[in-house]
Structure formats: structure tokens, C-alpha cells
Amino acid sequence: MKKIQIINGPNLNLLGKREPTVYGNSSFEGYLQQLKEKYPQCDISYFQSNTEGELIDKIHEVGFDFDGIILNAGAYTHTSIALHDAIKAVTTPVVEVHISNVHTRESFRHISMISAACKGVILGFGLESYRLAMESFL
Ligand code: DQA
């Protein structure tokens, strides 16, 4: 069974409540349940933190024996060289995802510090960005 880790960064615990016109009305927990039902052949783990170091610790923890990491680093995407280095340090491939199309938004969201360390990037498809990332690991 493929082991996939989904990691959500800061403010993504508020999905469903947070800026619904940008991020939608669904909580992540509900969507995660749908993903688990859609991919019974995968063991999907979920972790969310608002703290940069905890995201790095999770990448270290799973990054040598999981088959894939799906990472929405939230705003740390645009700032964190430490996350870039953590992704480079592990052997598990990481797919960067974003719910919104960051390129249609403020210019500070146009830069990703982590894309160059990732296997690929999926953005702009709402929560379906996570499903598309799942497909990339099958
Ligand atoms: C986001 C986009 C980021 O710019 C923002 O800081 C987020 C969410 C997205 O999923 O669209 O927190 O990663």
C-alpha cells in the first residue's frame, strides 16, 4: 500500500471559515475523508501545523520511507528557505500544492521558495489540487 503524507501549513486549519471566496466553504477534514474513500489503495496521513519548524520536523519524519508528500506550505511557500532545504534533504518526492491560483493574486505570492526543490507543482484547482497531486503518485 502506498504511503502518502499530506502536510498543510499555516492558516489551513481554518479552511471553510477562512476567506471562503478564495479558499471555498469546505473544511479539509471533510475533503480528506473523500480522498481516503477514493484511494483505498493508499494509506493517507494528514498533518497540519501553523509552525514552520513542525512542518520541517514532519518532512524529516516521513521523508525517508513514505512514497509521496503533498505539501501546501501556505504563506511559508513564499518565505521559507528552511522548507526548501528540508524537501531537498529527504528522499520522498514532494508535490507542492495550492488551493488558489497564486499567480492571479498579490505579487508576493508569485514567488515560491520551495518549487525548485519539489517534484512538481499543482495550483489553482481548489481542494481538487490535492486529488490531482494524489494522481501524480499512482
Ligand atoms: C495557499 C496560497 C498562499 O499564498 C497562502 O498564503 C495560503 C494558501 C493556497 O493554498 O492557495 O495560505 O497556499
Side-chain angles (χ1 to χ4, degrees), residues 8-12 15 18-19 22-23 71-78 96-102 105-106 108-111 122-124 126 129-130:
N8 273 343
N11 302 306
L12 292 164
L15 281 177
R18 170 194 187 198
E19 297 184 84
V22 179
Y23 299 113
L71 173 63
N72 185 347
Y76 290 135
T77 303
H78 315 299
E96 174 185 352
V97 303
H98 300 284
I99 296 163
S100 63
N101 180 348
V102 288
R105 303 180 63 197
E106 302 95 325
F108 60 81
R109 297 186 205 276
H110 298 178
I111 303 288
I122 297 171
L123 58 88
S129 296
Y130 293 87

Side-chain angles (χ1 to χ4, degrees), residues 65-135:
D65 54 24
F66 274 53
D67 298 293
I69 297 173
I70 297 171
L71 173 63
N72 185 347
Y76 290 135
T77 303
H78 315 299
T79 61
S80 181
I81 297 168
L83 270 176
H84 174 113
D85 287 349
I87 296 164
K88 289 274 266 224
V90 298
T91 51
T92 299
V94 178
V95 171
E96 174 185 352
V97 303
H98 300 284
I99 296 163
S100 63
N101 180 348
V102 288
H103 298 292
T104 63
R105 303 180 63 197
E106 302 95 325
S107 59
F108 60 81
R109 297 186 205 276
H110 298 178
I111 303 288
S112 169
M113 302 305 288
I114 65 172
S115 295
C118 290
K119 184 179 179 201
V121 182
I122 297 171
L123 58 88
F125 295 97
L127 287 177
E128 286 293 87
S129 296
Y130 293 87
R131 184 183 59 77
L132 295 167
M134 280 297 300
E135 289 289 327

